[in-house]
Every structure is written in C-alpha cells, then in structure tokens.
Amino acid sequence: MRPPSSPVDPGFDVVVLGAGLNSLNLTIAFHRQYGMRCTTVVRVPVAMNQHTVTSDQLVLGADATDEQMRDALLELAAGRPAGRPALLLTNADSLIEFIDRFRSELEEHYLLAQVDGALLSRLADKAEFAEICAELGIGTVPTVIVDFARAEETGWNGEQELPWTFPVVGKAANTAEYHHVDFPGKRKVFFFESREEHLDLVRRLRGSGFTGRFLFQELIPGDDTAQRSITAYRSSRGKVTLLCAAQVLLGEHTPEALGRPAAMITGDFPSLTAAAERFLDAVDYVGFANFDVKIDPRTGAECFFEINPRIGRNNYYVTAAGESVARHVVADRIHDRDLDRVVVTREILYSILPVALVLRYLRDPALREHIRRVARTGLRNPFRYRPEGLWMRAYSVVSGLNFVRKYRAVYPRPTDTGF
C-alpha cells in the first residue's frame, strides 16, 4: 500500500502521460522541487507508478484509443478550478506524437513544452538528425540509409554490400514508426556479424510491411563506458537554460531494451554540452531534449547518434546531481520567464543496478576505483528516493536481483563493442 503523504499545492497541476521509469523520474523531480503529487495517465497500470508517493495513477485500459485518452485529459482539465494552469508532459516517443496530433484541443487546457509537428518529424528521424549535425560540424557515425518505401524500385540499396567490415549496427531511423511493425526477432538495435545476417533482417523488414528508413552504421568500438548522455532544456523564448551530461557505465542488454543506460556518472563534459546547445539553437528547439553520443576510442572523436525529443528515461541523474529538471519547465511555461543558464557538473552515480554488478563490468581499473569512491556518498537510485515507502524500497531490491539474472543470461561479460 502506498504510504500517506500531504502533497503541497504549488498553484498548478502536472499531468504526465505514460508508465514506468519514464514517468516516475519526472514525477520525482516535481515532488522533490515542489512537494506536489502529479497525475500519471496510463493505458496499462504499472506498479511503480501506483505505489509511488510522487503521483496518482489514472488507468484508461489496454484498449483505450488515442481519442479516449484525449477525452480523459479533457475531463481532467474540466475538473480543475477555472484559470488554474496545468502542464502536460510525456517521456515516450509515441505519446509525444499523440500530444502533437491533438495539440489544438489540448492547448486550450494545458501548457505544452515540446516542438511542433514539423520539427518533431524531422528530429525523430535519425537520418535527418545526422544531416543537421553535418551542417553544424558536429560529428556523427558513418551511416548507410535504406528507404524501405522504395524497395520495389530498380537500384534500391537495401541489399547492396555495406562499405565496412562486419560487425555492423542496424536501427530504425524513426522509433515511433518502427513501433507499429512486428516480426520475429525484432529488436531496438541490431548487431550483424555477417552479410547473411544483414540480408536476413532486410527480408524480415520487407515481410513485416515496414516502409520507413533503416540505418546501417559502422560499429564504433568501445563498450558501454564509451557512451554519453546529454539532457537539456530550451525555453519557448529561445534560451537553453539546462545542460547536463553523463558517462554511461552499463546499459541494459535485453533485446527490447538494448541501448538504454542503467548506470551513469555525471560530470563536466564541456565539448558535449556546447555541441548540444549549438544544435538546439540551430533548429529553434523548445522543451526537453536528450542526446545519445559515443566516443570513438580509436580517435577520441565524439559521435552524436540521435536526439530524443523528450527528457529521456533516466533524467533523474540531472535532478540527483542537484538541479531539478522540473524547475526549468515550470519557470518557462508556468511563470513565463527563463532561468539563468545552468550547466550541471557535480559528480553523482545514477544507477538502477546493484553497484557490485556495475563494478563487475568496468574493465578500466582506474574507472572502477573512481566509481567505487563516488558510490560511497554519491549513489542515487530513483527507486530509493527518500520519501518513498517500503514497497518501493523492496522493489529496488527485487529489481536489482532481476537485473543480475538478466545480465547473466544475455550479457555475461563485458565485450569490446558492448554487444
């Protein structure tokens, strides 16, 4: 049972669409900064959102349509006192698109903090992202783009040989578009050891009816520790007010979650945050953004992989490092002002994994010892947010043990590539 709490009324409401850690990390930020409880709207109930002290959960049902979700949001709005502002946020690609689809209706009742549909479509496409980076002199990974909508055309490049030696990485250009197709062996990220595996995926994608663009990329060597994450906020008045970067230590490795960071250490990464700010200003971005980057160990080059037009699943690493992400969107959209620019550099260890498991995968002795030192006083786990009750603490233990089991099964030891 969720422990009782006495939420503070900050004078506004926050509604978060979506379930799981994506929304929990956001609602923690608002609870920590304002003492308030958000409303989390989900189709399928998730226990962590049900038991947290940071939000109340509104369950629509697994079969709820987008129109029914829209109607539920409008009904929530109708229950608010006249003139009371409310933020509508989400941290899932498909729900970002949902908000944009019903923007005109929702904006009558909610304050939004996300880019418009045209820019959203451009940024959601990893191929478009690479083109923008090239224009700005921001490094990206060498890529071949295959457009499956042209699969029947003469000269289609889907089955042509790739210009690099194997292994090679494959991923959809547009995550939300890829979400709607299904086929055996579907993954978020593919790792091909041979041309036969590459061609087999091309056949499966065609058979699934996929008509989007798919990226085949040179494998940048380096394990999970070569990855970086950048979280930022740019206001509706065109000012970047928040930047925070972290080094990934260990990511998830199950097929459906491959590539999601699970343990990170924050710090000072000036060249990364400067590039992120330059990108956001160039496209006139609005709202939260999260960049995925990898450092090429052969050259030290920073390779930007993509921008997520949302705050990112693990955004608690920013709040835990001392700068509440909630503060920036509230100042912008509720109070109609910009905060002074904040670049977070304080070191903390964000981890939803047991520290012993993280240390086991760190092959650099100096990094391992550094993480051991930081963990003594700087370990932060959202499931161990202090105001939470016994259920969430027990969940953190059970979740940690489940992760140990999963890593033993799918990624028993670290590799040179992280695959």
Side-chain angles (χ1 to χ4, degrees), residues 6 24 56 67 92 110 120 151 160 179-180 183 227 235 246 261 296 302 304 321 343 352-353 375 382 384 394 414:
S6 300
L24 179 66
D56 298 304
E67 287 74 17
Y110 293 95
L120 178 64
Q160 293 177 5
H179 174 76
H180 296 294
F183 57 89
Q227 299 173 28
S235 78
D296 190 334
E302 298 167 353
F304 277 64
V343 181
I352 58 173
L353 308 174
R384 292 183 176 270

Side-chain angles (χ1 to χ4, degrees), residues 245-257:
Q247 177 182 7
V248 177
L249 301 172
L250 186 58
E252 295 190 44
H253 283 266
T254 55
E256 68 279 3

Side-chain angles (χ1 to χ4, degrees), residues 28 37 45 89 180 182 216 218 257 283 289 297 322 329 333 337 345 362 372 375 398:
I28 287 175
R37 187 180 276 164
L89 303 171
H180 296 294
D182 193 27
F216 296 94
E218 180 184 14
V283 300
V329 66
R333 302 303 289 126
R337 64 183 179 88
T345 60
L362 299 181
R372 188 178 280 113
V398 173

Side-chain angles (χ1 to χ4, degrees), residues 271-292:
S271 60
L272 293 178
T273 52
E277 185 170 11
R278 191 161 76 251
F279 184 99
L280 296 175
D281 284 340
V283 300
D284 196 19
Y285 193 89
V286 174
F288 288 110
N290 177 251
F291 293 85
D292 293 333

Side-chain angles (χ1 to χ4, degrees), residues 300-342:
E302 298 167 353
C303 298
F304 277 64
F305 276 72
E306 63 180 330
I307 179 175
N308 298 300
R310 50 189 172 82
I311 193 169
R313 181 173 184 262
N314 297 290
N315 63 84
Y316 185 63
Y317 74 79
V318 185
T319 298
E323 184 58 30
S324 172
V325 297
R327 216 167 64 90
H328 293 262
V329 66
V330 168
D332 176 27
R333 302 303 289 126
I334 299 292
H335 301 307
D336 197 27
R337 64 183 179 88
D338 292 337
L339 297 179
D340 291 337
R341 179 174 174 274
V342 177

Side-chain angles (χ1 to χ4, degrees), residues 114-170:
Q114 67 179 52
V115 297
D116 62 26
L119 185 55
L120 178 64
S121 297
R122 189 179 180 199
L123 297 180
D125 192 305
K126 297 177 182 65
E128 292 276 356
F129 171 77
E131 292 170 4
I132 298 170
C133 285
E135 294 171 3
L136 297 173
I138 297 172
T140 57
V141 60
T143 300
V144 168
I145 302 170
V146 176
D147 187 350
F148 279 79
R150 305 177 63 181
E152 304 303 324
E153 295 181 12
T154 303
W156 181 60
N157 66 340
E159 297 179 346
Q160 293 177 5
E161 289 195 27
L162 299 173
W164 319 289
T165 57
F166 288 90
V168 168
V169 176

Side-chain angles (χ1 to χ4, degrees), residues 170-410:
K171 64 183 72 170
N174 188 307
T175 305
E177 190 175 52
Y178 183 62
H179 174 76
H180 296 294
V181 299
D182 193 27
F183 57 89
K186 180 182 177 181
R187 296 179 176 226
K188 181 180 178 182
V189 181
F190 292 86
F191 179 69
F192 308 109
E193 295 280 5
S194 66
R195 176 160 168 75
E196 289 71 27
E197 292 181 6
H198 160 225
L199 293 177
D200 178 60
L201 176 65
V202 170
R203 286 190 289 270
R204 281 184 285 155
L205 286 166
R206 291 187 70 178
S208 73
F210 180 67
T211 57
R213 295 197 291 178
F214 208 84
L215 310 184
F216 296 94
Q217 299 178 322
E218 180 184 14
L219 177 66
I220 304 298
D223 61 15
D224 292 355
T225 62
Q227 299 173 28
R228 305 290 184 268
S229 175
I230 310 167
T231 298
Y233 187 84
R234 187 172 186 270
S235 78
S236 55
R237 282 163 300 283
K239 178 181 177 181
V240 174
T241 65
L242 174 64
L243 290 160
C244 182
Q247 177 182 7
V248 177
L249 301 172
L250 186 58
E252 295 190 44
H253 283 266
T254 55
E256 68 279 3
L258 187 63
R260 290 179 185 168
M264 293 183 280
I265 184 169
T266 56
D268 191 9
F269 302 91
S271 60
L272 293 178
T273 52
E277 185 170 11
R278 191 161 76 251
F279 184 99
L280 296 175
D281 284 340
V283 300
D284 196 19
Y285 193 89
V286 174
F288 288 110
N290 177 251
F291 293 85
D292 293 333
V293 186
K294 191 168 187 179
I295 309 301
D296 190 334
R298 300 168 298 188
T299 63
E302 298 167 353
C303 298
F304 277 64
F305 276 72
E306 63 180 330
I307 179 175
N308 298 300
R310 50 189 172 82
I311 193 169
R313 181 173 184 262
N314 297 290
N315 63 84
Y316 185 63
Y317 74 79
V318 185
T319 298
E323 184 58 30
S324 172
V325 297
R327 216 167 64 90
H328 293 262
V329 66
V330 168
D332 176 27
R333 302 303 289 126
I334 299 292
H335 301 307
D336 197 27
R337 64 183 179 88
D338 292 337
L339 297 179
D340 291 337
R341 179 174 174 274
V342 177
V343 181
V344 182
T345 60
R346 177 190 173 199
E347 276 193 331
I348 60 99
L349 172 60
Y350 165 91
S351 181
I352 58 173
L353 308 174
V355 173
L357 179 64
V358 177
L359 293 173
R360 180 177 180 274
Y361 284 84
L362 299 181
R363 298 187 293 176
D364 180 345
L367 178 60
R368 187 166 55 247
E369 182 55 33
H370 180 63
I371 297 305
R372 188 178 280 113
R373 287 197 304 271
V374 173
R376 293 186 189 120
T377 57
L379 176 62
R380 301 292 186 270
N381 183 330
F383 302 134
R384 292 183 176 270
Y385 175 52
R386 191 180 298 275
E388 299 284 14
L390 291 176
W391 188 93
M392 197 68 81
R393 284 168 171 70
Y395 179 85
S396 73
V397 174
V398 173
S399 174
L401 293 173
N402 283 337
F403 272 120
V404 171
R405 175 181 54 79
K406 289 177 183 178
Y407 279 90
R408 284 176 178 169
V410 300

Side-chain angles (χ1 to χ4, degrees), residues 88-106:
L88 179 61
L89 303 171
T90 189
N91 199 13
D93 291 334
S94 59
L95 293 171
I96 288 280
E97 290 194 343
F98 161 82
I99 291 175
D100 188 69
R101 178 184 171 196
F102 295 105
R103 180 183 289 267
S104 61
E105 295 169 84
L106 295 173

